[in-house]
């Protein structure tokens, strides 16, 4: 082999090695693969509607809040009188699954002595065997507490016309609820009607504090919320909220394509903007934390663009993303709700015509 030929080969090998090294550096954070076997077939001829809320409890069970009233007559033909056909019956609004995809518990819906939202949206479970849920219909100024067996415990607010972001005894079509164990407080993304973060005691429902965008006083914006402007001084749609292990609070303003970061007392720290030119329903639909010791990454659902971002929490850099629009396993149509268990398994729920839940397994352990 002559020297010139060797030089060309060595140069090519060095270039290939450089590409591999660059690729290795760029690969960061977990990647996910869909588990098409989850969940198992639902019992009792049930079918799911839109997935309003989803959360994972301390035992790694998955709780889903779905919307039976979002089903079409064709989808729930067996429930019509007379039945249109053999398929199907609306599933109960609240369903608990285990990691294998089995249904463990279910309950919910309007009943005497147990108030219920008009359109199911937010769901959270504490460490005492309680479930908190709410809705986002025009009159859903209410949050309700149940036991995990479906027994009504307490309510905050009522089913009434909007009361506004200054009211401290109600919510305003809340979109998300987060139970903070150290403080025993509920942090509420409030929401579709109000434009604030609201914090109440998880036991007594006593008002604790609230704030708007940038930690400023919450304001109602008339005639309509600001949209598609990540610098707007007030929230458009406060759609999700998550608290990391270090106590930082991450708040999604969905229609303004941003996530703002606060201390628990409402002190504003910074914000991250994702695909600022996204219109429609915005780019920040939900957020959960990767469950390693430092919550190194955020997992952010984008229902408009139909994918999920893996975001480095320290600086907001997107290190990976997965998913695309579609109806096959692993694809999304309006991915709306997220939950993650202690092993890093990711669970998703879709609204509009998506009406399904999916499980994604990670390539790396937390």
């Amino acid at each position: 082999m002559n020297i010139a030929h060797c030089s060309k080969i060595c140069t090519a090998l060095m270039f290939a090695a450089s590409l591999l090294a660059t690729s290795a550096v760029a690969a960061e954070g977990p990647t996910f693969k869909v588990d098409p076997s989850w969940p198992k077939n639902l019992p009792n001829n049930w079918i799911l509607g839109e997935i309003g809320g989803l959360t994972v409890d301390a035992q790694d069970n998955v709780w889903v809040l779905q919307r039976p009233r979002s089903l079409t007559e064709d989808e729930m033909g067996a429930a019509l009188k007379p039945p249109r056909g053999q398929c199907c019956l609306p599933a109960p609004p609240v369903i608990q699954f285990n990691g294998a995809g089995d249904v463990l518990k279910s309950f919910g819906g309007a009943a005497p002595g147990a108030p219920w939202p008009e359109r199911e949206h937010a769901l959270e479970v504490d460490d005492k065997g309680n479930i908190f849920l709410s809705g986002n219909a025009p009159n859903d100024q209410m949050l309700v507490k149940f036991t995990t067996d479906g027994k009504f415990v307490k309510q905050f607010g009522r089913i009434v016309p909007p009361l506004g972001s200054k009211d401290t005894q109600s919510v305003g079509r809340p979109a998300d609820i987060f139970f903070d164990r150290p403080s025993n407080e509920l942090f509420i993304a409030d929401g579709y009607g109000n434009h604030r973060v609201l914090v109440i005691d998880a036991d007594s429902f006593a008002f604790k504090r609230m704030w708007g965008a940038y930690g400023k006083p919450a304001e109602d914006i008339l005639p309509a919320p600001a949209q598609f402007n990540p610098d707007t001084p007030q929230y458009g749609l406060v759609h999700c909220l998550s608290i990391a292990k270090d106590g930082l609070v991450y708040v999604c303003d969905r229609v303004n394509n941003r996530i703002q970061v606060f201390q628990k007392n409402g002190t504003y720290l910074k914000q991250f903007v994702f695909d600022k030119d996204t219109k429609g329903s915005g780019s920040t639909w939900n957020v959960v934390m990767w469950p390693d010791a430092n919550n190194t990454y955020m997992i952010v659902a984008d229902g408009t663009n139909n994918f999920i971002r893996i975001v480095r929490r320290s600086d907001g850099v997107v290190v990976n993303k997965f998913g695309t629009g579609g109806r096959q396993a692993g694809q999304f149509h309006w991915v709306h709700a997220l939950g993650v268990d202690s092993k890093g398994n990711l669970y998703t729920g879709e609204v509009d015509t998506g009406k399904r839940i999916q499980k994604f397994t990670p390539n790396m352990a937390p």
Side-chain angles (χ1 to χ4, degrees):
M1 182 183 298
N2 61 45
I3 295 176
H5 185 58
C6 177
S7 177
K8 290 180 180 179
I9 294 175
C10 291
T11 300
L13 289 173
M14 289 174 64
F15 180 71
S18 175
L19 287 178
L20 288 173
T22 301
S23 176
V25 171
E28 181 181 343
T31 59
F32 293 89
K33 180 180 179 181
V34 68
D35 178 355
S37 67
W38 194 96
K40 297 177 182 177
N41 288 337
L42 297 179
N44 307 318
N45 202 21
W46 287 347
I47 188 172
L48 296 177
E50 295 178 310
I51 308 302
L54 188 154
T55 192
V56 179
D57 64 24
Q59 290 74 45
D60 281 347
N61 294 313
V62 182
W63 292 85
V64 172
L65 180 66
Q66 63 97 23
R67 300 170 179 166
R69 288 167 286 190
S70 70
L71 292 166
T72 65
E73 288 190 356
D74 178 64
E75 290 170 323
M76 58 174 188
L80 302 180
K81 295 182 180 180
R84 174 178 292 182
Q86 297 182 29
C87 182
C88 291
L89 300 174
V94 178
I95 308 175
Q96 182 193 34
F97 297 87
N98 61 19
D102 302 297
V103 171
L104 303 181
K105 293 181 181 179
S106 63
F107 71 88
W116 195 260
E118 293 183 348
R119 182 168 61 232
E120 297 85 356
H121 200 289
L123 180 72
E124 178 65 312
V125 181
D126 68 12
D127 60 351
K128 305 172 186 177
N130 297 301
I131 282 187
F132 305 89
L133 57 89
S134 62
N136 73 327
N139 289 331
D140 279 332
Q141 327 307 326
M142 179 182 70
L143 180 148
V144 193
K145 181 178 183 178
F146 290 86
T147 69
T148 51
D149 292 319
K151 180 181 178 181
F152 169 68
V153 178
K154 196 178 185 68
Q155 76 183 78
F156 178 77
R158 296 169 291 157
I159 299 294
V160 294
L163 298 169
S165 294
K166 300 294 186 183
D167 189 84
T168 61
Q169 302 305 310
S170 71
V171 288
R173 305 172 65 193
D176 202 6
I177 306 165
F178 191 96
F179 171 69
D180 181 51
R181 182 177 182 181
S183 64
N184 194 48
E185 293 174 332
L186 298 178
F187 285 69
I188 302 165
D190 190 37
Y192 277 83
N194 294 337
H195 305 281
R196 64 183 181 179
V197 173
L198 177 69
V199 185
I200 62 176
D201 183 84
D203 293 331
S204 67
F205 285 173
F207 169 78
K208 304 296 280 294
R209 57 196 175 278
M210 62 183 178
W211 66 84
Y214 299 101
K216 297 178 180 179
E219 299 287 349
D220 290 314
I221 307 167
L222 297 175
Q227 295 189 63
F228 319 129
N229 179 6
D231 297 317
T232 185
Q234 283 295 342
Y235 283 134
L237 171 52
V238 192
H239 197 260
C240 69
L241 188 152
S242 185
I243 302 179
K245 293 177 181 178
D246 60 9
L248 296 185
V249 182
Y250 293 77
V251 181
C252 303
D253 184 0
R254 194 176 89 178
V255 298
N256 288 313
N257 303 326
R258 62 183 177 181
I259 293 178
Q260 294 196 327
V261 188
F262 299 87
Q263 296 175 356
K264 289 183 185 179
N265 63 6
T267 299
Y268 170 77
L269 300 176
K270 56 187 173 181
Q271 77 174 17
F272 304 127
V273 178
F274 302 99
D275 286 347
K276 65 181 180 63
D277 295 325
T278 295
K279 302 297 190 292
S281 294
S283 66
T284 54
W285 289 46
N286 212 299
V287 61
V288 292
M289 301 296 156
W290 177 243
D292 64 345
N294 298 315
N295 292 148
T296 305
Y297 304 102
M298 298 186 292
I299 303 171
V300 181
D302 184 336
T304 299
N305 294 304
N306 288 308
F307 57 68
I308 291 175
R309 297 179 181 86
I310 311 301
V311 179
R312 197 161 55 217
R313 189 166 69 92
S314 61
D315 56 11
V317 170
V318 178
V319 298
N320 200 354
K321 63 182 181 181
F322 71 95
T324 185
R327 304 187 184 280
Q328 307 305 312
Q331 297 179 322
F332 300 112
H333 177 71
W334 284 26
V335 56
H336 181 255
L338 297 178
V340 65
D341 67 18
S342 64
K343 302 177 181 65
N345 294 302
L346 180 67
Y347 300 89
T348 66
E350 297 166 53
V351 290
D352 193 54
T353 59
K355 297 179 181 176
R356 63 175 172 177
I357 50 179
Q358 298 190 81
K359 177 181 181 179
F360 295 83
T361 58
N363 72 325
M364 58 183 280

